[in-house]
Amino acid sequence: MEKIDILSLDLNELECKLEALGQKKFRAKQIFQWLHVKKIFDFDEMTNISVQLRATLKENFCVNRLFVAKRLESCMDNTVKYLYELEDGNFVETVLMEYHHGMSLCVSTQVGCKMGCKFCASAIAGYVRSLSASEILMQIYETEKNSSVKISGVVLMGIGEPLDNFDNVVKFFRLVSHKDGYNLSLRHVTVSTCGIVPKIYQLADLKLGVTLSVSLHSADNDSRSRIMPINKTYNIEKLLDACRYYINTTGRRVTFEYAVIDNINSAVNDADTLSDLIRGMNCHVNLIPVNSVKERNYKSDSVQVKKFAAQLEKRGINATVRRTLGSDIEAACGQLRRDAITKNCKNGGVDL
Ligand code: SAH
């Protein structure tokens, strides 16, 4: 019999499983707290649980740990990048960043990505599978254990397209915000999407309160389709309708991510097109100097980024330029995993 991944169960599910095993329901809360509050993953260390029940737990449940295959610390800021190896030998990346309001963690949601955005390193190494809810959650728990920090914000902006792994991502939201568990307010969780329109509507209807960030990167369909294949399925008009629905349904402001790329979307008239497109929306534009990916020839000119930001401001659009964190440690998403696969470092390439 295959063991049940205990960290993917919410409290109700754990209660049901324990009852089915002839155990008392209240034990579930104790176990849930060991896992999600104390981050104790060895059943033998759960001291208020009887030895007999611990044996039953070991027989029926498992905890899928993540292993640190690589840990890179930036010398420029306090950014730490982890390459985690999963139980099945796949790799994902997680980035810990320090902001003035606390520590924020950027987590992956899939091993690889199907979306094929041209400027993104995740597309190069190819798609393998989606992560389970517990594999997303464990990136937080393992990083807290490893770095001895308390994470106060989580962004789903690592490898993968979160809305292409919708059910597990929603399960993750429910687990991470559980009041008897990690208890993180979903107001401090941001989900970033390249624009899978039907899933944006679905997420809005759940009214979870998560912040939505949309990777727009271009305000006209021709150039967006050239860099982001998803635009051929859901064009800018459909995407913006979904964003308006999200804003109206949840009352939350949407962020548009815009990587300013030379010769693609960086001209002053591109800033004008963007302003016309989003005027009047409760939104914010986050301008990103593109991270250069060695297989791709995309670049950002910092002067142009500033000009672009100034033009948006002139047109009354709320915009900021994202601070580049950890630029000395290949913090652009997908770069470590791609290198790990190329070098086939499978735990051997430990670089701590
Ligand atoms: N699939 C999701 C989340 C992962 S990517 C999404 O598309 O939003 C997280 C963010 O990093 C996205 O805005 C993505 O477009 C951006 N990004 C990817 N590669 C980048 C690069 N080389 N330079 C700058 N931003 C990049």
Side-chain angles (χ1 to χ4, degrees), residues 106 109 113 115 117 119-122 156-162 191-195 213-217 228 257-259 288-293 322 332-333 335:
C106 174
T109 54
C113 187
M115 300 300 131
C117 299
F119 46 83
C120 181
S122 299
L156 281 69
M157 279 195 191
I159 300 175
E161 168 49 46
V191 58
S192 180
T193 179
C194 64
S213 184
V214 172
S215 300
L216 189 60
H217 301 318
M228 299 181 71
E257 305 287 334
Y258 195 105
I288 320 170
V290 75
N291 268 311
S292 60
V293 173
R322 188 196 278 175
C333 67
Q335 298 197 14

PDB file of all heavy atoms in Angstrom, residues 106 109 113 115 117 119-122 156-162 191-195 213-217 228 257-259 288-293 322 332-333 335, ligand 1:
ATOM      1  N   CYS A 106      10.188  33.172  -2.781  1.00  0.00           N
ATOM      2  CA  CYS A 106       9.676  32.936  -4.130  1.00  0.00           C
ATOM      3  C   CYS A 106       9.704  31.424  -4.366  1.00  0.00           C
ATOM      4  O   CYS A 106      10.782  30.817  -4.335  1.00  0.00           O
ATOM      5  CB  CYS A 106      10.559  33.687  -5.126  1.00  0.00           C
ATOM      6  SG  CYS A 106      10.161  33.348  -6.835  1.00  0.00           S
ATOM      7  N   THR A 109       6.228  26.145  -8.679  1.00  0.00           N
ATOM      8  CA  THR A 109       4.969  25.390  -8.637  1.00  0.00           C
ATOM      9  C   THR A 109       4.974  24.179  -9.570  1.00  0.00           C
ATOM     10  O   THR A 109       4.064  23.347  -9.514  1.00  0.00           O
ATOM     11  CB  THR A 109       3.777  26.301  -9.001  1.00  0.00           C
ATOM     12  OG1 THR A 109       4.056  26.924 -10.262  1.00  0.00           O
ATOM     13  CG2 THR A 109       3.552  27.369  -7.945  1.00  0.00           C
ATOM     14  N   CYS A 113       8.257  24.164 -17.157  1.00  0.00           N
ATOM     15  CA  CYS A 113       7.082  24.965 -17.518  1.00  0.00           C
ATOM     16  C   CYS A 113       6.728  24.692 -18.974  1.00  0.00           C
ATOM     17  O   CYS A 113       7.604  24.474 -19.803  1.00  0.00           O
ATOM     18  CB  CYS A 113       7.424  26.443 -17.322  1.00  0.00           C
ATOM     19  SG  CYS A 113       6.005  27.527 -17.540  1.00  0.00           S
ATOM     20  N   MET A 115       4.828  26.841 -20.766  1.00  0.00           N
ATOM     21  CA  MET A 115       4.324  28.063 -21.379  1.00  0.00           C
ATOM     22  C   MET A 115       5.217  28.644 -22.474  1.00  0.00           C
ATOM     23  O   MET A 115       4.757  29.365 -23.340  1.00  0.00           O
ATOM     24  CB  MET A 115       4.033  29.128 -20.307  1.00  0.00           C
ATOM     25  CG  MET A 115       2.987  28.677 -19.292  1.00  0.00           C
ATOM     26  SD  MET A 115       1.400  28.314 -20.102  1.00  0.00           S
ATOM     27  CE  MET A 115       1.007  26.711 -19.415  1.00  0.00           C
ATOM     28  N   CYS A 117       7.586  31.006 -22.658  1.00  0.00           N
ATOM     29  CA  CYS A 117       7.915  32.431 -22.818  1.00  0.00           C
ATOM     30  C   CYS A 117       9.372  32.538 -23.285  1.00  0.00           C
ATOM     31  O   CYS A 117      10.253  31.896 -22.710  1.00  0.00           O
ATOM     32  CB  CYS A 117       7.716  33.191 -21.506  1.00  0.00           C
ATOM     33  SG  CYS A 117       6.015  33.142 -20.931  1.00  0.00           S
ATOM     34  N   PHE A 119      11.788  34.701 -23.180  1.00  0.00           N
ATOM     35  CA  PHE A 119      12.871  35.314 -22.401  1.00  0.00           C
ATOM     36  C   PHE A 119      13.175  34.539 -21.127  1.00  0.00           C
ATOM     37  O   PHE A 119      14.021  34.916 -20.331  1.00  0.00           O
ATOM     38  CB  PHE A 119      12.466  36.748 -22.028  1.00  0.00           C
ATOM     39  CG  PHE A 119      11.048  36.805 -21.506  1.00  0.00           C
ATOM     40  CD1 PHE A 119      10.784  36.521 -20.183  1.00  0.00           C
ATOM     41  CD2 PHE A 119       9.995  37.077 -22.366  1.00  0.00           C
ATOM     42  CE1 PHE A 119       9.482  36.510 -19.710  1.00  0.00           C
ATOM     43  CE2 PHE A 119       8.690  37.077 -21.897  1.00  0.00           C
ATOM     44  CZ  PHE A 119       8.428  36.791 -20.567  1.00  0.00           C
ATOM     45  N   CYS A 120      12.459  33.439 -20.880  1.00  0.00           N
ATOM     46  CA  CYS A 120      12.502  32.779 -19.578  1.00  0.00           C
ATOM     47  C   CYS A 120      13.330  31.496 -19.607  1.00  0.00           C
ATOM     48  O   CYS A 120      13.125  30.638 -20.473  1.00  0.00           O
ATOM     49  CB  CYS A 120      11.072  32.478 -19.131  1.00  0.00           C
ATOM     50  SG  CYS A 120      10.994  31.681 -17.522  1.00  0.00           S
ATOM     51  N   ALA A 121      14.249  31.359 -18.628  1.00  0.00           N
ATOM     52  CA  ALA A 121      15.130  30.185 -18.579  1.00  0.00           C
ATOM     53  C   ALA A 121      14.359  28.902 -18.269  1.00  0.00           C
ATOM     54  O   ALA A 121      14.782  27.813 -18.637  1.00  0.00           O
ATOM     55  CB  ALA A 121      16.218  30.401 -17.536  1.00  0.00           C
ATOM     56  N   SER A 122      13.193  29.040 -17.601  1.00  0.00           N
ATOM     57  CA  SER A 122      12.424  27.843 -17.248  1.00  0.00           C
ATOM     58  C   SER A 122      11.944  27.098 -18.493  1.00  0.00           C
ATOM     59  O   SER A 122      11.764  25.886 -18.485  1.00  0.00           O
ATOM     60  CB  SER A 122      11.199  28.214 -16.424  1.00  0.00           C
ATOM     61  OG  SER A 122      11.593  28.833 -15.250  1.00  0.00           O
ATOM     62  N   LEU A 156       4.392  33.201  -5.691  1.00  0.00           N
ATOM     63  CA  LEU A 156       4.448  32.033  -6.572  1.00  0.00           C
ATOM     64  C   LEU A 156       4.965  32.529  -7.917  1.00  0.00           C
ATOM     65  O   LEU A 156       4.208  32.784  -8.852  1.00  0.00           O
ATOM     66  CB  LEU A 156       3.068  31.362  -6.694  1.00  0.00           C
ATOM     67  CG  LEU A 156       2.664  30.467  -5.515  1.00  0.00           C
ATOM     68  CD1 LEU A 156       2.406  31.285  -4.266  1.00  0.00           C
ATOM     69  CD2 LEU A 156       1.428  29.646  -5.847  1.00  0.00           C
ATOM     70  N   MET A 157       6.291  32.734  -7.966  1.00  0.00           N
ATOM     71  CA  MET A 157       6.940  33.330  -9.145  1.00  0.00           C
ATOM     72  C   MET A 157       8.202  32.573  -9.509  1.00  0.00           C
ATOM     73  O   MET A 157       9.061  33.088 -10.215  1.00  0.00           O
ATOM     74  CB  MET A 157       7.347  34.777  -8.843  1.00  0.00           C
ATOM     75  CG  MET A 157       6.245  35.769  -8.975  1.00  0.00           C
ATOM     76  SD  MET A 157       6.946  37.420  -9.036  1.00  0.00           S
ATOM     77  CE  MET A 157       5.461  38.393  -8.869  1.00  0.00           C
ATOM     78  N   GLY A 158       8.338  31.374  -8.977  1.00  0.00           N
ATOM     79  CA  GLY A 158       9.522  30.577  -9.318  1.00  0.00           C
ATOM     80  C   GLY A 158       9.246  29.820 -10.609  1.00  0.00           C
ATOM     81  O   GLY A 158       8.483  30.274 -11.463  1.00  0.00           O
ATOM     82  N   ILE A 159       9.837  28.633 -10.717  1.00  0.00           N
ATOM     83  CA  ILE A 159       9.645  27.846 -11.939  1.00  0.00           C
ATOM     84  C   ILE A 159       8.189  27.377 -12.027  1.00  0.00           C
ATOM     85  O   ILE A 159       7.610  26.926 -11.039  1.00  0.00           O
ATOM     86  CB  ILE A 159      10.577  26.613 -11.932  1.00  0.00           C
ATOM     87  CG1 ILE A 159      12.041  27.065 -11.870  1.00  0.00           C
ATOM     88  CG2 ILE A 159      10.323  25.740 -13.155  1.00  0.00           C
ATOM     89  CD1 ILE A 159      13.021  25.925 -11.728  1.00  0.00           C
ATOM     90  N   GLY A 160       7.633  27.447 -13.242  1.00  0.00           N
ATOM     91  CA  GLY A 160       6.300  26.897 -13.473  1.00  0.00           C
ATOM     92  C   GLY A 160       5.222  27.946 -13.611  1.00  0.00           C
ATOM     93  O   GLY A 160       5.415  29.110 -13.279  1.00  0.00           O
ATOM     94  N   GLU A 161       4.084  27.511 -14.120  1.00  0.00           N
ATOM     95  CA  GLU A 161       2.923  28.383 -14.253  1.00  0.00           C
ATOM     96  C   GLU A 161       1.899  27.932 -13.198  1.00  0.00           C
ATOM     97  O   GLU A 161       1.263  26.883 -13.338  1.00  0.00           O
ATOM     98  CB  GLU A 161       2.366  28.268 -15.680  1.00  0.00           C
ATOM     99  CG  GLU A 161       1.001  28.877 -15.897  1.00  0.00           C
ATOM    100  CD  GLU A 161       0.838  30.311 -15.370  1.00  0.00           C
ATOM    101  OE1 GLU A 161       1.717  31.152 -15.598  1.00  0.00           O
ATOM    102  OE2 GLU A 161      -0.182  30.575 -14.703  1.00  0.00           O
ATOM    103  N   PRO A 162       1.739  28.726 -12.128  1.00  0.00           N
ATOM    104  CA  PRO A 162       0.873  28.298 -11.021  1.00  0.00           C
ATOM    105  C   PRO A 162      -0.552  27.936 -11.462  1.00  0.00           C
ATOM    106  O   PRO A 162      -1.120  26.965 -10.964  1.00  0.00           O
ATOM    107  CB  PRO A 162       0.842  29.512 -10.094  1.00  0.00           C
ATOM    108  CG  PRO A 162       2.006  30.335 -10.471  1.00  0.00           C
ATOM    109  CD  PRO A 162       2.369  30.026 -11.879  1.00  0.00           C
ATOM    110  N   VAL A 191       0.236  35.405  -6.423  1.00  0.00           N
ATOM    111  CA  VAL A 191       0.358  34.390  -7.462  1.00  0.00           C
ATOM    112  C   VAL A 191       0.579  35.102  -8.793  1.00  0.00           C
ATOM    113  O   VAL A 191      -0.123  36.048  -9.126  1.00  0.00           O
ATOM    114  CB  VAL A 191      -0.871  33.437  -7.477  1.00  0.00           C
ATOM    115  CG1 VAL A 191      -2.178  34.160  -7.684  1.00  0.00           C
ATOM    116  CG2 VAL A 191      -0.702  32.345  -8.515  1.00  0.00           C
ATOM    117  N   SER A 192       1.597  34.644  -9.521  1.00  0.00           N
ATOM    118  CA  SER A 192       1.941  35.288 -10.790  1.00  0.00           C
ATOM    119  C   SER A 192       1.556  34.364 -11.941  1.00  0.00           C
ATOM    120  O   SER A 192       1.854  33.174 -11.921  1.00  0.00           O
ATOM    121  CB  SER A 192       3.445  35.556 -10.809  1.00  0.00           C
ATOM    122  OG  SER A 192       3.827  36.172 -12.010  1.00  0.00           O
ATOM    123  N   THR A 193       0.903  34.928 -12.962  1.00  0.00           N
ATOM    124  CA  THR A 193       0.497  34.100 -14.094  1.00  0.00           C
ATOM    125  C   THR A 193       0.838  34.767 -15.414  1.00  0.00           C
ATOM    126  O   THR A 193       0.837  35.999 -15.519  1.00  0.00           O
ATOM    127  CB  THR A 193      -1.021  33.795 -14.056  1.00  0.00           C
ATOM    128  OG1 THR A 193      -1.361  33.011 -15.202  1.00  0.00           O
ATOM    129  CG2 THR A 193      -1.866  35.064 -14.056  1.00  0.00           C
ATOM    130  N   CYS A 194       1.096  33.921 -16.418  1.00  0.00           N
ATOM    131  CA  CYS A 194       1.331  34.455 -17.757  1.00  0.00           C
ATOM    132  C   CYS A 194      -0.005  34.775 -18.429  1.00  0.00           C
ATOM    133  O   CYS A 194      -0.038  35.353 -19.504  1.00  0.00           O
ATOM    134  CB  CYS A 194       2.139  33.453 -18.579  1.00  0.00           C
ATOM    135  SG  CYS A 194       1.269  31.919 -18.855  1.00  0.00           S
ATOM    136  N   GLY A 195      -1.119  34.368 -17.800  1.00  0.00           N
ATOM    137  CA  GLY A 195      -2.425  34.763 -18.328  1.00  0.00           C
ATOM    138  C   GLY A 195      -3.313  33.622 -18.800  1.00  0.00           C
ATOM    139  O   GLY A 195      -3.819  33.632 -19.914  1.00  0.00           O
ATOM    140  N   SER A 213      -0.736  38.770  -9.773  1.00  0.00           N
ATOM    141  CA  SER A 213       0.274  39.468 -10.547  1.00  0.00           C
ATOM    142  C   SER A 213       0.221  38.880 -11.956  1.00  0.00           C
ATOM    143  O   SER A 213       0.214  37.654 -12.115  1.00  0.00           O
ATOM    144  CB  SER A 213       1.614  39.192  -9.868  1.00  0.00           C
ATOM    145  OG  SER A 213       2.622  39.892 -10.484  1.00  0.00           O
ATOM    146  N   VAL A 214       0.153  39.725 -12.951  1.00  0.00           N
ATOM    147  CA  VAL A 214       0.010  39.224 -14.316  1.00  0.00           C
ATOM    148  C   VAL A 214       1.235  39.609 -15.134  1.00  0.00           C
ATOM    149  O   VAL A 214       1.618  40.782 -15.189  1.00  0.00           O
ATOM    150  CB  VAL A 214      -1.289  39.799 -14.952  1.00  0.00           C
ATOM    151  CG1 VAL A 214      -1.370  39.453 -16.432  1.00  0.00           C
ATOM    152  CG2 VAL A 214      -2.513  39.262 -14.214  1.00  0.00           C
ATOM    153  N   SER A 215       1.854  38.615 -15.747  1.00  0.00           N
ATOM    154  CA  SER A 215       3.030  38.879 -16.585  1.00  0.00           C
ATOM    155  C   SER A 215       2.530  39.373 -17.933  1.00  0.00           C
ATOM    156  O   SER A 215       2.156  38.586 -18.796  1.00  0.00           O
ATOM    157  CB  SER A 215       3.845  37.600 -16.752  1.00  0.00           C
ATOM    158  OG  SER A 215       4.253  37.155 -15.477  1.00  0.00           O
ATOM    159  N   LEU A 216       2.503  40.683 -18.088  1.00  0.00           N
ATOM    160  CA  LEU A 216       1.941  41.267 -19.311  1.00  0.00           C
ATOM    161  C   LEU A 216       3.050  41.407 -20.367  1.00  0.00           C
ATOM    162  O   LEU A 216       2.922  40.888 -21.469  1.00  0.00           O
ATOM    163  CB  LEU A 216       1.303  42.621 -18.964  1.00  0.00           C
ATOM    164  CG  LEU A 216       0.487  43.284 -20.060  1.00  0.00           C
ATOM    165  CD1 LEU A 216      -0.678  42.416 -20.497  1.00  0.00           C
ATOM    166  CD2 LEU A 216      -0.022  44.655 -19.596  1.00  0.00           C
ATOM    167  N   HIS A 217       4.094  42.117 -20.030  1.00  0.00           N
ATOM    168  CA  HIS A 217       5.309  42.259 -20.839  1.00  0.00           C
ATOM    169  C   HIS A 217       5.135  42.925 -22.197  1.00  0.00           C
ATOM    170  O   HIS A 217       6.131  43.188 -22.878  1.00  0.00           O
ATOM    171  CB  HIS A 217       6.017  40.907 -21.029  1.00  0.00           C
ATOM    172  CG  HIS A 217       6.420  40.256 -19.743  1.00  0.00           C
ATOM    173  ND1 HIS A 217       6.975  40.957 -18.697  1.00  0.00           N
ATOM    174  CD2 HIS A 217       6.328  38.963 -19.307  1.00  0.00           C
ATOM    175  CE1 HIS A 217       7.230  40.132 -17.689  1.00  0.00           C
ATOM    176  NE2 HIS A 217       6.825  38.927 -18.020  1.00  0.00           N
ATOM    177  N   MET A 228       5.358  35.631 -25.885  1.00  0.00           N
ATOM    178  CA  MET A 228       4.590  34.786 -24.972  1.00  0.00           C
ATOM    179  C   MET A 228       3.515  34.008 -25.756  1.00  0.00           C
ATOM    180  O   MET A 228       2.445  34.535 -26.063  1.00  0.00           O
ATOM    181  CB  MET A 228       3.916  35.645 -23.887  1.00  0.00           C
ATOM    182  CG  MET A 228       4.909  36.411 -23.026  1.00  0.00           C
ATOM    183  SD  MET A 228       4.109  37.388 -21.748  1.00  0.00           S
ATOM    184  CE  MET A 228       3.539  36.105 -20.619  1.00  0.00           C
ATOM    185  N   GLU A 257       3.302  42.760 -14.443  1.00  0.00           N
ATOM    186  CA  GLU A 257       4.752  42.644 -14.573  1.00  0.00           C
ATOM    187  C   GLU A 257       5.118  42.992 -16.017  1.00  0.00           C
ATOM    188  O   GLU A 257       4.452  42.535 -16.960  1.00  0.00           O
ATOM    189  CB  GLU A 257       5.213  41.205 -14.289  1.00  0.00           C
ATOM    190  CG  GLU A 257       4.786  40.637 -12.953  1.00  0.00           C
ATOM    191  CD  GLU A 257       5.540  41.231 -11.773  1.00  0.00           C
ATOM    192  OE1 GLU A 257       6.686  41.690 -11.958  1.00  0.00           O
ATOM    193  OE2 GLU A 257       4.964  41.247 -10.677  1.00  0.00           O
ATOM    194  N   TYR A 258       6.143  43.799 -16.168  1.00  0.00           N
ATOM    195  CA  TYR A 258       6.540  44.218 -17.518  1.00  0.00           C
ATOM    196  C   TYR A 258       8.062  44.242 -17.589  1.00  0.00           C
ATOM    197  O   TYR A 258       8.710  45.102 -17.006  1.00  0.00           O
ATOM    198  CB  TYR A 258       5.962  45.605 -17.805  1.00  0.00           C
ATOM    199  CG  TYR A 258       5.976  46.038 -19.262  1.00  0.00           C
ATOM    200  CD1 TYR A 258       4.810  46.047 -20.018  1.00  0.00           C
ATOM    201  CD2 TYR A 258       7.166  46.457 -19.868  1.00  0.00           C
ATOM    202  CE1 TYR A 258       4.822  46.460 -21.346  1.00  0.00           C
ATOM    203  CE2 TYR A 258       7.179  46.866 -21.192  1.00  0.00           C
ATOM    204  CZ  TYR A 258       6.002  46.873 -21.923  1.00  0.00           C
ATOM    205  OH  TYR A 258       6.011  47.277 -23.246  1.00  0.00           O
ATOM    206  N   ALA A 259       8.636  43.223 -18.236  1.00  0.00           N
ATOM    207  CA  ALA A 259      10.093  43.185 -18.423  1.00  0.00           C
ATOM    208  C   ALA A 259      10.403  44.080 -19.627  1.00  0.00           C
ATOM    209  O   ALA A 259       9.889  43.852 -20.723  1.00  0.00           O
ATOM    210  CB  ALA A 259      10.551  41.757 -18.684  1.00  0.00           C
ATOM    211  N   ILE A 288      10.467  45.399 -14.871  1.00  0.00           N
ATOM    212  CA  ILE A 288      11.574  44.505 -14.522  1.00  0.00           C
ATOM    213  C   ILE A 288      12.687  44.660 -15.558  1.00  0.00           C
ATOM    214  O   ILE A 288      12.439  44.454 -16.743  1.00  0.00           O
ATOM    215  CB  ILE A 288      11.136  43.019 -14.543  1.00  0.00           C
ATOM    216  CG1 ILE A 288       9.740  42.837 -13.949  1.00  0.00           C
ATOM    217  CG2 ILE A 288      12.145  42.117 -13.891  1.00  0.00           C
ATOM    218  CD1 ILE A 288       9.167  41.442 -14.163  1.00  0.00           C
ATOM    219  N   PRO A 289      13.881  45.014 -15.103  1.00  0.00           N
ATOM    220  CA  PRO A 289      14.998  44.944 -16.052  1.00  0.00           C
ATOM    221  C   PRO A 289      15.186  43.456 -16.378  1.00  0.00           C
ATOM    222  O   PRO A 289      15.279  42.641 -15.463  1.00  0.00           O
ATOM    223  CB  PRO A 289      16.183  45.491 -15.255  1.00  0.00           C
ATOM    224  CG  PRO A 289      15.580  46.137 -14.039  1.00  0.00           C
ATOM    225  CD  PRO A 289      14.294  45.434 -13.767  1.00  0.00           C
ATOM    226  N   VAL A 290      15.173  43.095 -17.648  1.00  0.00           N
ATOM    227  CA  VAL A 290      15.194  41.665 -17.991  1.00  0.00           C
ATOM    228  C   VAL A 290      16.514  41.040 -17.512  1.00  0.00           C
ATOM    229  O   VAL A 290      17.576  41.646 -17.620  1.00  0.00           O
ATOM    230  CB  VAL A 290      14.944  41.457 -19.511  1.00  0.00           C
ATOM    231  CG1 VAL A 290      16.166  41.816 -20.343  1.00  0.00           C
ATOM    232  CG2 VAL A 290      14.484  40.062 -19.822  1.00  0.00           C
ATOM    233  N   ASN A 291      16.404  39.870 -16.924  1.00  0.00           N
ATOM    234  CA  ASN A 291      17.588  39.125 -16.504  1.00  0.00           C
ATOM    235  C   ASN A 291      18.146  38.455 -17.742  1.00  0.00           C
ATOM    236  O   ASN A 291      17.417  37.710 -18.398  1.00  0.00           O
ATOM    237  CB  ASN A 291      17.175  37.997 -15.546  1.00  0.00           C
ATOM    238  CG  ASN A 291      17.227  38.443 -14.112  1.00  0.00           C
ATOM    239  OD1 ASN A 291      18.203  39.013 -13.665  1.00  0.00           O
ATOM    240  ND2 ASN A 291      16.138  38.183 -13.406  1.00  0.00           N
ATOM    241  N   SER A 292      19.412  38.664 -18.053  1.00  0.00           N
ATOM    242  CA  SER A 292      19.874  38.036 -19.286  1.00  0.00           C
ATOM    243  C   SER A 292      20.053  36.536 -19.070  1.00  0.00           C
ATOM    244  O   SER A 292      20.575  36.088 -18.048  1.00  0.00           O
ATOM    245  CB  SER A 292      21.143  38.686 -19.809  1.00  0.00           C
ATOM    246  OG  SER A 292      22.125  38.548 -18.831  1.00  0.00           O
ATOM    247  N   VAL A 293      19.546  35.777 -19.996  1.00  0.00           N
ATOM    248  CA  VAL A 293      19.611  34.320 -19.940  1.00  0.00           C
ATOM    249  C   VAL A 293      20.581  33.944 -21.057  1.00  0.00           C
ATOM    250  O   VAL A 293      20.424  34.416 -22.180  1.00  0.00           O
ATOM    251  CB  VAL A 293      18.206  33.724 -20.209  1.00  0.00           C
ATOM    252  CG1 VAL A 293      18.245  32.228 -20.339  1.00  0.00           C
ATOM    253  CG2 VAL A 293      17.232  34.152 -19.114  1.00  0.00           C
ATOM    254  N   ARG A 322      11.445  47.225 -10.456  1.00  0.00           N
ATOM    255  CA  ARG A 322      11.786  46.195  -9.467  1.00  0.00           C
ATOM    256  C   ARG A 322      13.279  46.212  -9.174  1.00  0.00           C
ATOM    257  O   ARG A 322      14.103  46.277 -10.083  1.00  0.00           O
ATOM    258  CB  ARG A 322      11.392  44.813  -9.994  1.00  0.00           C
ATOM    259  CG  ARG A 322      11.552  43.740  -8.930  1.00  0.00           C
ATOM    260  CD  ARG A 322      11.547  42.367  -9.528  1.00  0.00           C
ATOM    261  NE  ARG A 322      10.197  41.882  -9.766  1.00  0.00           N
ATOM    262  CZ  ARG A 322       9.959  40.729 -10.371  1.00  0.00           C
ATOM    263  NH1 ARG A 322      10.936  39.975 -10.800  1.00  0.00           N
ATOM    264  NH2 ARG A 322       8.722  40.324 -10.543  1.00  0.00           N
ATOM    265  N   ALA A 332      17.626  34.599 -11.668  1.00  0.00           N
ATOM    266  CA  ALA A 332      16.551  34.552 -12.672  1.00  0.00           C
ATOM    267  C   ALA A 332      15.964  33.150 -12.704  1.00  0.00           C
ATOM    268  O   ALA A 332      16.699  32.167 -12.662  1.00  0.00           O
ATOM    269  CB  ALA A 332      17.094  34.911 -14.050  1.00  0.00           C
ATOM    270  N   CYS A 333      14.638  33.068 -12.788  1.00  0.00           N
ATOM    271  CA  CYS A 333      14.037  31.756 -12.565  1.00  0.00           C
ATOM    272  C   CYS A 333      14.413  30.735 -13.628  1.00  0.00           C
ATOM    273  O   CYS A 333      14.485  31.021 -14.797  1.00  0.00           O
ATOM    274  CB  CYS A 333      12.537  31.858 -12.334  1.00  0.00           C
ATOM    275  SG  CYS A 333      11.554  32.376 -13.696  1.00  0.00           S
ATOM    276  N   GLN A 335      17.319  29.199 -13.990  1.00  0.00           N
ATOM    277  CA  GLN A 335      18.718  29.081 -14.414  1.00  0.00           C
ATOM    278  C   GLN A 335      19.492  27.988 -13.677  1.00  0.00           C
ATOM    279  O   GLN A 335      20.298  27.293 -14.271  1.00  0.00           O
ATOM    280  CB  GLN A 335      19.426  30.423 -14.249  1.00  0.00           C
ATOM    281  CG  GLN A 335      18.794  31.497 -15.116  1.00  0.00           C
ATOM    282  CD  GLN A 335      19.679  32.719 -15.309  1.00  0.00           C
ATOM    283  OE1 GLN A 335      20.859  32.697 -15.024  1.00  0.00           O
ATOM    284  NE2 GLN A 335      19.110  33.786 -15.801  1.00  0.00           N
TER     285      GLN A 335
HETATM  286  N1  SAH B   1       4.589  31.476 -14.908  1.00  0.00           N
HETATM  287  C1  SAH B   1       4.371  32.584 -14.038  1.00  0.00           C
HETATM  288  C2  SAH B   1       5.332  32.679 -12.881  1.00  0.00           C
HETATM  289  C3  SAH B   1       6.781  32.362 -13.110  1.00  0.00           C
HETATM  290  S1  SAH B   1       7.800  33.565 -13.869  1.00  0.00           S
HETATM  291  C4  SAH B   1       4.334  33.868 -14.819  1.00  0.00           C
HETATM  292  O1  SAH B   1       4.559  33.840 -16.033  1.00  0.00           O
HETATM  293  O2  SAH B   1       4.023  34.905 -14.254  1.00  0.00           O
HETATM  294  C5  SAH B   1       7.896  34.886 -12.743  1.00  0.00           C
HETATM  295  C6  SAH B   1       8.102  36.250 -13.425  1.00  0.00           C
HETATM  296  O3  SAH B   1       9.431  36.379 -13.939  1.00  0.00           O
HETATM  297  C7  SAH B   1       7.168  36.474 -14.595  1.00  0.00           C
HETATM  298  O4  SAH B   1       6.697  37.793 -14.613  1.00  0.00           O
HETATM  299  C8  SAH B   1       8.089  36.212 -15.772  1.00  0.00           C
HETATM  300  O5  SAH B   1       7.570  36.745 -16.934  1.00  0.00           O
HETATM  301  C9  SAH B   1       9.374  36.835 -15.287  1.00  0.00           C
HETATM  302  N2  SAH B   1      10.575  36.422 -15.985  1.00  0.00           N
HETATM  303  C10 SAH B   1      10.885  35.216 -16.478  1.00  0.00           C
HETATM  304  N3  SAH B   1      12.099  35.240 -17.071  1.00  0.00           N
HETATM  305  C11 SAH B   1      12.573  36.482 -16.903  1.00  0.00           C
HETATM  306  C12 SAH B   1      13.781  37.140 -17.292  1.00  0.00           C
HETATM  307  N4  SAH B   1      14.742  36.497 -17.970  1.00  0.00           N
HETATM  308  N5  SAH B   1      13.916  38.438 -16.962  1.00  0.00           N
HETATM  309  C13 SAH B   1      12.961  39.089 -16.274  1.00  0.00           C
HETATM  310  N6  SAH B   1      11.806  38.528 -15.894  1.00  0.00           N
HETATM  311  C14 SAH B   1      11.605  37.244 -16.213  1.00  0.00           C
END
